Amino acid sequence: MAENDSTENISRPTKIGRAQIGVNVIAQVLLVLGLAAMVNYLGLQHYKRWDFSRDQKYALSDKTKRFLDSIKGKVRLTVFFSNTPITADVQNLLTEYQYAAKKKIDIENIDPERNLSRAKELFDKYKVVTDESLIVVDYQGRNKTVKASEMAEIDQSGMALGEGPRVAAFKGEQALTGAMMDLVEGKKNTLGYVLGHKEPPLGEQSPISVLKTFIENENIKFQELNLYELGEIPADVKTIVVAGPQYDFSDREMKLLRDFWEKQGRILLLLDPAAKTPKLNGFVNELGVKVNDDRLMVFLRTGIQELALTRDVQANFLSDSPITKRLAGARALFFGGTSSLTLQPDRVRAANVRIEPLVQAEKGYFAERDYNSTDQAKLQADAAKAGGPPLTVAASIEKGGTSDERVQVNSARMIVASNATFIQDNALTQDQQALDFISASVNWLLSREQLIGIAPKVPKTLTFSLTEDSLRNVRWVMLVLIPLVPAVIGAAVWWQRRA
């Protein structure tokens, strides 16, 4: 009997009172609310954004992100945008700026049509005298306006047919980042552009107008320099560009160039292999970079037994230099003639000169010394004998300073490239690696390493035209073929069931 009692006591379930159940429910609800609040707090403080769209229309470029990281103060953006074709694009872009700037950007949106008093107050403050939609960028008391017309290319060709304006290209990031650079840096950096040896001009119809506009958007201005007429290079010019001279420099000009270099000057030297410039080549050779009298070529297979010779050089950017490491893996096409460079760092190391390769031709290219020959058999034989390390087409030279990127020490800097045509408008491609390379080179020469990066691309609207025959085919597909397919499938299913 005692045994049965003990068994009964063990198996009897424990009763839970209503009060205890209520407490458990309240505790669970509070726990869930606490977890939800914690997740929301962490998400608000440490959230991430990703752009998975195909063209990544609003994703900021590497260069813009690096520039925003370098800003010390706070930027205020006052947005005066009403209903325009790019209003939504601008708002999405500003959201990306706020996220990337990490609380360094404050944004105030004002609709001039609804908030007249606030709009008038700020118009008076910033001296705005236009009715066009715009953004006022303010940094430490300095301000600049970015108009809607500067942020997009609008196609209005369809308005005669009753269609609205269409955004052909959105350039909001270029315009905003350029305005911020102007305000943060203050005075523009001066880039001396050497003329007098048949270099490409800078005026209207310039063959390097795309490059010039691209560089000027980074708070840089070009100043024409004729060394033959100068007693010395102006003090405000810290960097000079020599782009494809067709004639050699005189002894007097070479003395100015050497004096500039010895005073820790910065030089971007783009050489045309077809031009005879022994004094310029000799100056570079003194610094450990020999410009060879050859041309880079490659044979490409165009058929089963057909080979074609090309002198356009497909080249790779190297990752070891701060100038090109963000372009590493990308390829650029150097049109026209390109010669090879022989780097001799050991010869100049005692003079505290450091040399680094920046751009090398892809595997398969060979340096032909008899480059005027038309004998295909000889050229193929020379190509078969070629080998060894990749051929260098651009290199950096630095005298003084330090190899540690974290330590800023004054030094003389130079970049040499054995091709001068890849920067011209007719050679630049949509991929713009050439523009990014020149921009990185100029920023390195100006000691603006924080601005070295991939620049923003201009997203363009994809358009295509259809002929009358193509339109007729599209109509047949839309009106007949597409409805016919489900009808045939339905008929087949009906027939199968009936059978």
Side-chain angles (χ1 to χ4, degrees), residues 91-252:
Q91 293 298 335
N92 288 322
L93 180 66
L94 292 177
T95 300
E96 295 297 328
Y97 269 94
Q98 269 192 312
Y99 172 68
K102 300 173 183 177
K103 300 182 179 180
K104 294 179 183 177
I105 291 181
D106 288 334
I107 298 177
E108 181 181 3
N109 288 285
I110 298 175
D111 188 341
E113 297 178 358
R114 296 185 179 182
N115 197 341
L116 296 177
S117 59
R118 179 62 174 160
K120 185 179 184 308
E121 175 188 348
L122 292 175
F123 281 166
D124 293 340
K125 175 182 177 181
Y126 294 119
K127 297 179 174 58
V128 175
V129 292
T130 178
D131 294 332
E132 183 179 356
S133 293
L134 54 85
I135 297 175
V136 177
V137 185
D138 190 313
Y139 181 78
Q140 296 183 348
R142 301 187 297 273
N143 64 81
K144 187 171 184 177
T145 59
V146 180
K147 298 179 181 179
S149 57
E150 300 170 350
M151 302 178 73
E153 296 175 8
I154 305 297
D155 180 9
Q156 299 182 353
S157 59
M159 296 189 69
L161 302 175
E163 301 176 0
R166 182 178 59 85
V167 180
F170 183 63
K171 304 183 293 183
E173 183 181 353
Q174 292 88 330
L176 271 178
T177 300
M180 290 182 192
M181 284 184 184
D182 290 351
L183 295 176
V184 171
E185 293 188 342
K187 184 179 179 182
K188 284 185 177 292
N189 297 278
T190 303
L191 195 66
Y193 186 81
V194 175
L195 292 170
H197 316 88
K198 210 175 178 181
E199 295 90 350
L202 290 179
E204 294 184 6
Q205 306 300 322
S206 170
I208 59 169
S209 60
V210 174
L211 175 68
K212 180 175 179 290
T213 301
F214 189 86
I215 296 299
E216 287 178 335
N217 285 338
E218 299 185 353
N219 197 36
I220 296 172
K221 67 176 181 179
F222 282 82
Q223 178 176 329
E224 295 183 354
L225 296 179
N226 191 326
L227 300 184
Y228 194 78
E229 299 174 353
L230 295 176
E232 62 178 4
I233 294 175
D236 62 330
V237 176
K238 305 299 182 184
T239 301
I240 64 174
V241 176
V242 182
Q246 298 302 296
Y247 309 117
D248 205 5
F249 282 34
S250 66
D251 291 338
R252 182 174 180 277

